[in-house]
Every structure is written in C-alpha cells, then in structure tokens.
C-alpha cells in the first residue's frame, strides 16, 4: 500500500530505491507515465488537425532531426565517441532510400529500415579507426568520413545522379498514399516514439551499460572484460542506423533530394543539438532538435525582416550571416553557462515542484 | 617531364603554405591539447584585418603588417581569457564544440563586415623574388612563402628549445600537474600560446591572401585541411607540420594534375583515414601510453 501511494504521488520526495531495477525504471511515479500518455494522446489528436501547415512542417522537421539526434546522443553522450560525420550519414540514408525506391521499387516500410541498415554498415567502416584511437583522433577520422562521403555522393553519378538529385515516389501502404504534412506527421511521430522507446530501453540493457563504462573509462572497461572495440563499433552502427533512418524519412518527406544539405554544417548542427539538449540524455536530444529547428526558423524570419528594413539595406549590410553568428553564439553560451543542456534546465524546473505547493 | 617538375615545385609551394597554416594549430595543441576548429576563421580574420588596414586605412604595408600581428596577438589572448579558460578541466567534446561555435561566430562576423566576395591585395612584392629555373617558374609569393616559413621554423625551434617561456610550454604540454607544482604559471602559458598561435595564423592568412585572394569560404576550408596535415606530421610536432604539409601539397597537385581535378580536394582526407588506421600518431608525433 505504501509503495502504491508512492507511485501515485506527484514526484518522489527523496531517493526510495531499494534495488537496481527500481533505479533503472524510466518513470519514478505513475504521474510521469500518465502525463506522458496524455501528452502523446494530445499530440496525435490535436496537433495535426489544428496546426497550420507551416507549423506542422516545423514539427515534422523537428521529429526527423530528433531521430538523428537521438542516434548521435547514443554515440556522443553515452559512448563518449565524437562524430563529425553524422550529417553525411544522414545523407547516406536519404540516398539509400531514394535509390531503393526509384531503382528497385521497394515500398517505403521496407526501404526506410533498409536505408538504416545500409548506413549502419557504412558507419561501421568509419568506426574502425575507433579500435585503435580515442577521443580527438576519432573526431578527425569522422571529419574525413564527412568529406569522403560528400565526394562519393556527388561524383558517383551513375548511382546518385550527382547534382541533379533524385525525386522519390510518394510512399503508400495498402493503397493509402502518404502525402502532405498531416499524413507525414503520423508517419514521422510514430517512428520517433518507437525509436525513442528503443533508445531508452537499450540504454538500460547490458549494451547500454557497456557503452557508459566505455565512456567513463575505456581502459578500465576493457579490464573488466568489456570487448571495447566490439561495443564501440556497435555504438557506431546504432548511431548510424538512426541517422540513416531519419535521412530516409527526410528524403520521402522532401520528395526530391540533392547532395547539397548533407555538409559539415549539418553535422555541426547535430552535435549542437546533442550538446544544447543535454549529453547522455535521450529526451535531451529531442529538446535539442526542437531548440535548433526553432532557432533556425526564428533567425531565418528575423534576417528576412531585417533585410526589408530600408535603413539597413541602404547601408549595404547583408544580414544573412547574422544567422550563422547567432547559431555559433548559442552553442558557445550553452557550453559556458549550462553544459548539461536543456535537459538539466528541465530537471531543475521539475525539482522546484518537488514539494509543491509547500516548497519549504 | 617539365609538367612533372612544375607539379613538383607547385606541390612543394602549396605544401609549405599548408605547413605554415598548420603551425599555429600545432602550437595550441602542443600547449593545451585543444583541437582548434576555428583555425580557418583565425586565418581569415588576419587576412581581412590586413586588407582593411592596407586598402581602407591606407597605412604602409610594413606598418599594417605589424599592426595586424599585434592585433591578432591580443585577439588570441582574449579568446583564451573569455572562452577557453572557463573550460579548463572540462570534457574534450565541450572544448572542441566551443571552437566549432567560435568558428561559426567568427565566420558570421566576417561575412557581416566584409561580405563573401573575393578581395585582393594591392601588388607589393618585389618582382626580383621571381625564380626561373629552366622551364620552371616560381612566382614571387611562393619564394616569399619559402623564406617566411624557414624563418618561422627556425624562430619556433629556438623559442621551444632555448627560451624559458618555450620550455614552460613544453612542460605544460607534457604534464600539466607536474608543471604546476614546479612553479610554472599554467594559465599564462595557455594565454601566451593562444596569443602566439593567433599571431602565426594571421600571418599565414595574409600569405594565403596574397596568393589566392581573400575569401572567407576558401580560408575556412584551408582551416579544415590542416587536419590531414597535422595528423600526417604528428599532432604535436611543428617540423612535422611542415613536412606533412609538403606531402599533402604534393599529393594534391599530383592528383589534380594526373588523375582528376575534382579528386584533388578529397585526397588529403582519404590519406588521413589510412594514416589513422596504420600510424595514428603520425610521422613525428609522440606515442601516448595510457594507464588506467
């Protein structure tokens, strides 16, 4: 009865864990579980029917980028391996799905996971240096991977059509065509929920614990009997799978893709999402994706407005680079002021309500 | 054969440029083991600073060169003071990402102030620096580069071997705690190494600007090409940076000349992956031995 009451409470007033299983539980109280359930029901029943197409487009973008950011967070936040090639892997997934769909006519429910697996294979190739190297050397290896993949995507014209780009057929299942923001909202967010569920649970498993051990001290982890090369590669593969999966979704959503967006800037944006959202925190990746996408949209809007102010245009100033500046500033400020990211701010906010309404 | 020789000479010249650009990078890594992703933007800042002093300020070349070096020295000092110092002892990824953020900030600033167009310096190198050897031609800027890189290499060698500050820097790079306990002012060493590195970066930015014209996008791309160079030479070896630079420069020009021009820009990174798999600490780098 006592535990039952505890489960009903708003937020536990202390640390009441009696075994490791309790400590690993995702929801400490039923309240959190119910809240999440209500949030999801509201999201799926309200958002697609009441939001304007533009807002829905932003929401869909957030969903896709959040999937990729979760993957990168598994690699950076949990395994401690820094990758600067995530944007290129995202592109590999997009092209894999596009080629499977146009050349072989594979339906989308097969081509999207297949794109994920293909990207995982390619990611593992660039993960091989991680066997001998750690930290900064690996960062440089993935930087090289970014440039090599970009080059291959542009130059292998017989497969990728180079700079021409590929146009994808609209995905259909059981005769129902998925087209438009509303239909894609359901596809993207169902995928996001599944991928989040998978990521949260893999981190509670043997594999997740091995990843965290490698992050905290790889030599010690090896000494405790964790084959670190195998697990680093596995982490690379999972992270690339997420990137490829998200890229494939993005390709279907955008209908036509070119090599242009998958540059180093995108990779940096993904890392920024992980850092701003909170490293080693799965919901953090979603917060980060939301923050960066909204920041991008606000900056695009702001520079658009500033361009039309006659005083500035008459001075001959071009305001477009302001976007880049503010983007860099956001990264720098988060690192200096709140290195644990939005997830930490969210935790502080929640713990302020711990004894609400009787705070002290 | 002439084609081959001309490619060889061009490759060495381009490689020396890469080597000089990498020197500032190695400097920072040597003292504080920070990978500086904002290096390309530092090059660009120096080049643009010099550009505005020369063309807008109408200040004589020598004076504006010295002014630029002094300005960049202070800039490097300020970067360390305001951005890097709070992160001493933090995780590697925060420091790397901070430099990535700084690079975006600087790039935005440069684009905001000077725009993304190609600028050129007024002609000022004496034509007597031109070298003609049979059919081979070396442009004055390249022979100037050769002279400058040799001067800087010697200066750096002396600095690290003889001066007390240089020895402090090496000691901090080797073991921060031991250096601290023996009375080395570690914070001052960090500040000084950033200041010197920024100064060297500015200088190489100016040299690059003389050769290719000043453009933010080109210069920040060179900032990334520094990575294959320093990995090949060894991350913590200044001489290695020059030799790595020459090898990468040769590779680039030969691929550009004989295979395909589009492969030219990717070849350094393909080589990079192979070096990382075969000899990760580079030709002259120090092999780290770690204990739990």
């Amino acid at each position: 009865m006592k535990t039952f009451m505890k489960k009903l409470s708003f937020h536990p007033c202390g640390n009441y864990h009696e075994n490791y299983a309790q400590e690993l539980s995702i929801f400490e109280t039923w309240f959190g579980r119910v809240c999440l359930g209500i949030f999801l029901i509201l999201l799926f029943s309200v958002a697609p029917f009441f939001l304007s197409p533009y807002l829905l487009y932003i929401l869909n973008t957030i969903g896709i980028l959040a999937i990729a950011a979760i993957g990168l967070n598994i690699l950076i936040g949990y395994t401690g391996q820094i990758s600067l090639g995530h944007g290129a892997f995202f592109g590999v997934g997009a092209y894999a799905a596009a080629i499977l769909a146009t050349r072989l006519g594979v339906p989308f429910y097969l081509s999207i996971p297949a794109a994920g697996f293909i990207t995982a294979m390619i990611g593992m190739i660039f993960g091989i240096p991680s066997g001998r190297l750690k930290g900064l050397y690996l960062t440089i290896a993935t930087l090289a991977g970014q440039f090599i993949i970009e080059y291959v995507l542009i130059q292998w014209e017989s497969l990728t059509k180079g700079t021409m780009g590929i146009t994808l057929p609209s995905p259909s299942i059981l005769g129902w065509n998925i087209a438009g923001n509303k239909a894609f909202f359901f596809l993207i967010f169902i995928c996001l929920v599944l991928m989040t569920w998978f990521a949260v649970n893999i981190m509670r498993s043997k594999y997740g614990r091995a990843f965290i051990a490698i992050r905290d001290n790889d030599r010690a982890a090896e000494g405790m009997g964790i084959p670190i090369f195998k697990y680093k590669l596995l982490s690379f593969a999972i992270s690339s799978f997420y990137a490829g999966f998200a890229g494939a979704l993005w390709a279907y959503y955008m209908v036509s893709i070119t090599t242009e967006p998958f540059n180093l800037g995108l990779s940096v944006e993904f890392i920024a999402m992980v850092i701003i959202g909170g490293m080693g925190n799965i919901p953090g990746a979603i917060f980060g994706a939301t923050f960066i996408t909204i920041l991008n949209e606000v900056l695009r809007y702001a520079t658009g407005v500033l361009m039309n102010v006659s005083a500035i245009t008459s001075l001959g100033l071009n305001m477009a680079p302001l976007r880049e500046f503010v983007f860099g500033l956001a990264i720098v400020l988060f690192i200096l002021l709140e290195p644990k990211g939005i997830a930490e701010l969210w935790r502080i906010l929640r713990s302020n309500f711990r004894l609400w309404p009787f705070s002290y | 054969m002439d084609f081959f020789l001309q490619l060889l000479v061009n490759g060495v010249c381009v490689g020396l440029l890469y080597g000089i650009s990498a020197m500032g990078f190695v400097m920072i890594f040597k003292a504080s083991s920070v990978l500086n992703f904002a290096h390309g933007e530092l090059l660009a800042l120096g080049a643009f600073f010099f550009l505005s002093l020369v063309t807008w300020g109408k200040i004589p070349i020598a004076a504006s060169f010295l002014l630029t070096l002094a300005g960049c020295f202070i800039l490097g000092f300020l970067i360390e003071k305001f951005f890097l110092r709070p992160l001493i002892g933090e995780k590697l990824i925060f420091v790397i990402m901070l430099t990535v953020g700084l690079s975006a900030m600087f790039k935005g600033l440069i684009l905001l102030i000077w725009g993304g167009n190609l600028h050129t310096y007024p002609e000022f190198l004496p034509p007597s620096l031109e070298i003609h050897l049979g059919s081979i031609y070396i442009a004055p800027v390249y022979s100037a580069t050769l002279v400058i890189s040799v001067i800087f290499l010697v200066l750096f060698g002396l600095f690290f071997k003889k001066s007390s500050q240089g020895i402090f820097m090496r000691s901090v790079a080797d073991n921060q705690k031991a250096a601290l306990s023996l009375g080395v002012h570690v914070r001052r060493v960090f500040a000084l190494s950033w200041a010197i590195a920024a100064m060297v970066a500015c200088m190489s930015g100016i040299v690059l600007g003389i050769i290719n014209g000043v453009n933010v996008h080109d210069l920040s791309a060179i900032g990334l090409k520094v990575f294959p160079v320093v990995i090949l030479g060894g991350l913590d070896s200044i001489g290695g940076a020059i030799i790595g630079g020459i090898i990468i420069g040769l590779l680039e020009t030969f691929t550009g000349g004989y295979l395909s021009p589009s492969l030219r820009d990717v070849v350094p990174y393909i080589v990079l992956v192979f070096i990382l798999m075969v000899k990760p600490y580079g030709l002259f780098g120090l092999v780290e031995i770690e204990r739990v």
Side-chain angles (χ1 to χ4, degrees):
Chain A
M1 190 62 196
K2 198 174 143 208
T3 50
F4 178 71
M5 286 306 290
K6 222 180 284 167
K7 282 196 160 173
L8 276 182
S9 72
F10 178 69
H11 197 295
C13 297
N15 191 344
Y16 292 114
H17 299 145
E18 281 162 5
N19 52 41
Y20 288 121
Q22 281 177 3
E23 200 166 70
L24 281 173
S25 64
I26 300 170
F27 298 104
E28 284 183 67
T29 59
W30 282 12
F31 183 75
R33 204 179 297 246
V34 170
C35 273
L36 184 73
I38 292 172
F39 173 74
L40 284 180
I41 291 169
L42 280 179
L43 183 74
F44 280 103
S45 59
V46 174
F49 303 105
F50 291 94
L51 290 180
S52 69
Y54 174 66
L55 287 177
L56 210 52
Y57 161 78
I58 293 179
L59 215 55
N60 286 344
T61 316
I62 290 174
I64 292 172
L65 294 181
I67 294 177
I70 289 172
L72 191 62
N73 208 347
I74 291 175
L75 189 66
I76 294 183
Y78 285 98
T79 324
Q81 311 292 312
I82 307 167
S83 167
L84 270 173
H86 213 63
F89 293 140
F90 189 77
V92 170
Y95 267 92
I99 290 163
L100 284 176
T102 49
R103 295 285 166 91
L104 305 174
V106 180
F108 84 98
Y109 45 86
L110 292 180
S111 74
I112 293 180
F117 280 112
I118 292 170
T119 317
M121 293 294 152
I122 293 173
M124 273 176 10
I125 296 174
F126 287 99
I128 290 174
S130 71
R132 291 188 58 183
L133 307 160
K134 57 185 285 188
L136 58 227
Y137 286 94
L138 191 70
T139 313
I140 301 173
T142 51
L143 176 75
Q146 166 78 40
F147 285 112
I148 294 171
I149 290 174
E150 248 182 85
Y151 174 78
V152 171
L153 285 184
I154 294 173
Q155 297 295 328
W156 196 353
E157 289 192 357
S158 58
L159 195 68
T160 65
K161 291 190 188 164
T163 47
M164 296 264 293
I166 303 181
T167 306
L168 282 88
S170 74
S172 63
I173 181 167
L174 304 174
W176 180 51
N177 246 352
I178 300 179
N181 287 323
K182 209 179 288 179
F184 263 103
F185 175 84
F186 287 103
L187 177 63
I188 290 166
F189 274 79
I190 288 170
C191 288
L192 175 62
V193 169
L194 287 177
M195 297 296 257
T196 313
W197 175 80
F198 180 70
V200 168
N201 281 300
I202 204 168
M203 283 310 139
R204 302 162 71 207
S205 71
K206 167 188 156 189
Y207 301 101
R209 286 195 295 277
F211 291 162
I212 293 169
I214 290 171
R215 173 192 70 189
D216 291 344
N217 190 332
D218 55 347
R219 305 285 155 138
E222 195 170 24
M224 292 193 308
I226 296 169
I228 50 172
F229 182 53
K230 202 178 106 188
Y231 277 100
K232 276 183 186 173
L233 266 192
L234 182 69
S235 172
F236 244 95
I238 295 174
S239 145
S240 312
F241 177 83
Y242 272 76
F245 193 95
L249 272 177
W250 193 83
Y252 274 108
Y253 186 46
M254 289 293 145
V255 178
S256 122
I257 53 167
T258 58
T259 53
E260 202 188 335
F262 312 119
N263 52 20
L264 188 63
L266 185 65
S267 297
V268 172
E269 266 184 46
F270 280 130
I271 297 186
M273 283 173 205
V274 170
I275 287 186
I276 290 176
M279 288 197 327
N281 194 316
I282 299 289
I286 301 174
F287 292 145
T290 314
F291 182 87
I292 293 286
T293 314
I294 292 176
L295 180 72
N296 262 333
E297 286 303 315
V298 168
L299 288 175
R300 186 171 299 156
Y301 178 75
T303 48
V305 167
L306 281 176
M307 294 273 220
N308 291 328
V309 177
S310 56
I312 291 170
T313 32
S314 64
L315 276 171
L317 276 177
N318 182 6
M319 280 292 143
L322 196 65
R323 222 180 118 221
E324 194 148 11
F325 178 78
V326 175
F327 186 71
L329 191 69
I331 295 177
V332 169
L333 286 183
F334 260 99
I335 291 174
L336 291 179
L337 303 178
E338 186 50 86
K340 284 183 179 168
I342 299 176
E344 179 71 5
L345 293 178
W346 172 237
R347 194 193 63 76
I348 293 169
L349 184 75
R350 270 190 313 170
S351 64
N352 281 343
F353 282 96
R354 175 163 293 209
L355 294 176
W356 187 83
F358 306 111
S359 306
Y360 43 80
Chain B
M1 192 63 197
D2 276 353
F3 185 58
F4 174 80
L5 280 178
Q6 187 65 51
L7 282 183
L8 189 75
V9 171
N10 283 354
V12 172
C13 292
V14 173
L16 275 177
L17 274 182
Y18 287 156
I20 303 187
S21 321
M23 263 199 288
F25 183 91
V26 171
M27 193 80 200
I28 291 173
F29 184 80
K30 225 169 139 69
S32 55
S33 52
V34 170
L35 283 184
N36 181 16
F37 276 88
H39 192 70
E41 281 69 23
L42 280 182
L43 299 175
L45 268 178
F48 276 106
F49 205 52
F50 185 63
L51 179 82
S52 13
L53 285 180
V54 170
T55 55
W56 296 350
K58 305 281 182 221
I59 298 169
I61 299 288
S64 43
F65 185 69
L66 289 178
L67 265 179
T68 311
L69 289 192
C72 289
F73 190 85
I74 296 168
L75 177 77
F77 192 76
L78 292 179
I79 292 175
E80 200 276 339
K81 167 114 181 133
F82 287 110
F83 297 115
L84 272 301
R85 190 165 299 170
L87 289 185
I88 288 179
E90 286 281 350
K91 274 192 214 154
L92 186 73
I93 176 150
F94 288 128
V95 185
I96 291 181
M97 271 317 286
L98 187 94
T99 62
V100 170
L102 279 180
S103 91
M105 273 171 71
F106 286 150
K107 202 169 178 184
L109 263 186
I110 293 171
L111 283 169
L112 214 54
I113 300 173
W114 287 284
N117 296 332
L118 187 72
H119 303 268
T120 45
Y121 293 130
E123 205 59 46
F124 59 82
L125 284 168
S128 57
L129 279 169
E130 260 182 24
I131 300 174
H132 283 281
L133 280 176
S135 57
I136 299 160
Y137 166 73
I138 302 176
V141 268
Y142 284 113
S143 37
T145 314
L146 191 69
V147 174
I148 291 178
S149 57
V150 170
I151 291 174
F152 266 83
L153 200 57
V154 171
L155 276 182
F156 271 126
L158 289 177
F159 177 75
F160 278 116
K161 287 260 152 49
K162 303 283 177 193
S163 79
S164 55
Q165 287 300 329
I167 293 169
F168 290 163
M169 274 186 195
R170 277 163 57 206
S171 70
V172 170
D174 190 46
N175 190 334
Q176 231 179 74
K177 276 182 196 153
L180 199 61
S181 65
L182 289 171
V184 175
H185 199 319
V186 174
R187 266 184 301 167
R188 189 190 294 155
V189 165
F190 282 160
L192 192 69
S193 62
W194 268 87
I196 295 178
M199 196 175 76
V200 177
C202 287
M203 196 230 21
S204 27
I206 295 170
V207 174
L208 286 167
I210 296 171
I211 294 171
N212 302 329
V214 190
N215 177 295
V216 196
H217 303 292
D218 292 349
L219 283 170
S220 56
I222 289 189
L224 291 175
K225 206 159 275 174
V226 159
F227 286 96
V229 171
V230 293
I231 289 292
L232 183 59
L235 257 173
D236 45 10
S237 156
I238 288 190
I242 297 282
I243 294 176
I246 293 177
I247 296 175
I248 295 288
L250 284 174
L251 260 172
E252 272 200 0
T253 38
F254 279 118
T255 353
Y258 286 114
L259 292 173
S260 92
S262 62
L263 197 63
R264 202 189 127 106
D265 285 331
V266 193
V267 141
Y269 297 105
I270 297 173
V271 174
L272 173 62
V273 173
F274 279 107
I275 307 164
L276 284 177
M277 286 179 184
V278 179
K279 197 167 164 48
Y281 295 105
L283 297 173
F284 304 98
L286 200 67
V287 179
E288 284 171 52
I289 298 166
E290 278 181 82
R291 295 186 181 85
V292 178

